[in-house]
Amino acid sequence: MAKPQEKVSFGQRLKQIGLVFRFTAKQDKWFAPLAAGAVLIPLALTVVAVMIWGWLWLPLGILFALLALLIVLNLRSNRAMMNAAEGQPGAAAQIMESMRGDWRVSPAVSSTTQMDMVHLVIGKPGVILLAEGNPQRVRGLLGQEKRRLAKVIGNAPLYDYVIGQDEGELPIRKLRMTLMRLPRNLSGKDVNSLDKRLKALTARPQMPKGAIPKNLRPPRGAFRQSRGR
């Protein structure tokens, strides 16, 4: 059974917002001036409205100031997180896992010892491969994955992207918007069916842990006999 989600208290929520504030201010030099403007401009307009129409405008002005501050925080924190994630191994998979919607993410289905990796994503647009690392090496990994997936995805569309800043690559800050703009080619039922097929393809049998049972061990002298043949 799925565990019920724990409710976040008001104090914990404020602590989380404070952490986001500090992180964004550290990463983005424009955040503090923009946040100050988002608060001061509505409050200044509120003072004028109170002087003209009365105190009824005070609560509305405070709400508008808080709303403007949250909008600035949301926009600039996303930008700061993208900047911090740029160049980090596995960042594309983490961004996909945090996206809203039905995205089935399998990180690093193919990788190298040099931290090059290809992530597999299944969603309503189809099958998506995201490659991170050295462009020359990851293009080889992409080719291998595309040939392997072609056996089971049928007519489902297949998209592939190399994450990076060079020509022909997708900057990580544009990853969300790019994938959200893809056409919705599959239904939810199609996504489930495709997900099951690909999980069966990528499943790898694992050796049992612990000592090998005696009834599965080769008899004594079997290796010597095989070498003598």
Side-chain angles (χ1 to χ4, degrees):
M1 294 179 63
K3 295 181 179 180
Q5 293 183 354
E6 297 182 359
K7 293 184 178 180
V8 180
S9 66
F10 181 72
Q12 290 175 327
R13 183 71 68 184
L14 288 179
K15 186 177 181 181
Q16 291 174 354
I17 294 176
L19 291 174
V20 175
F21 259 93
R22 288 193 292 271
F23 170 80
T24 307
K26 184 178 179 181
Q27 297 289 332
D28 185 358
K29 65 180 181 179
W30 289 103
F31 171 67
L34 290 173
V39 173
L40 294 177
I41 292 174
L43 289 181
L45 295 175
T46 301
V47 172
V48 175
V50 168
M51 294 175 62
I52 299 175
W53 293 292
W55 291 97
L56 291 177
W57 284 89
L58 182 60
L60 289 177
I62 294 174
L63 289 177
F64 278 122
L66 291 176
L67 179 60
L69 178 61
L70 290 176
I71 291 174
V72 171
L73 176 62
N74 181 54
L75 294 176
R76 304 306 293 190
S77 63
N78 285 334
R79 182 184 180 90
M81 285 188 288
M82 291 299 171
N83 291 336
E86 195 166 355
Q88 298 295 323
Q94 293 178 359
I95 291 173
M96 290 302 306
E97 289 174 338
S98 66
M99 282 180 59
R100 295 180 179 179
D102 189 9
W103 302 98
R104 320 286 177 89
V105 185
S106 299
V109 293
S110 182
S111 60
T112 67
T113 56
Q114 292 86 5
M115 300 302 291
D116 308 305
M117 58 190 72
V118 175
H119 313 297
L120 172 64
V121 180
I122 307 168
K124 290 187 177 180
V127 180
I128 304 166
L129 294 174
L130 303 175
E132 294 183 282
N134 181 276
Q136 295 180 349
R137 291 194 297 262
V138 296
R139 292 189 190 281
L141 293 177
L142 276 176
Q144 295 175 9
E145 285 301 311
K146 290 167 71 173
R147 289 190 295 270
R148 189 169 69 99
L149 295 176
K151 303 175 183 178
V152 294
I153 65 174
N155 296 325
L158 176 60
Y159 304 90
D160 62 277
Y161 300 95
V162 176
I163 305 299
Q165 295 292 332
D166 295 333
E167 185 178 356
E169 298 176 354
L170 177 64
I172 197 167
R173 66 186 62 186
K174 295 183 179 180
L175 176 60
R176 287 184 178 180
M177 188 61 65
T178 299
L179 298 193
M180 292 299 294
R181 288 178 177 175
L182 292 176
R184 299 303 188 251
N185 301 305
L186 304 178
S187 64
K189 184 177 179 181
D190 294 332
V191 173
N192 289 332
S193 176
L194 187 58
D195 188 25
K196 291 179 181 179
R197 295 203 305 270
L198 292 181
K199 281 183 178 178
L201 176 67
T202 57
R204 298 177 181 176
Q206 296 182 352
M207 289 294 293
K209 297 181 180 179
I212 300 176
K214 292 183 178 180
N215 58 345
L216 295 180
R217 294 176 181 174
R220 290 184 177 180
F223 292 113
R224 291 196 296 269
Q225 291 177 9
S226 62
R227 287 199 300 266
R229 292 179 182 177

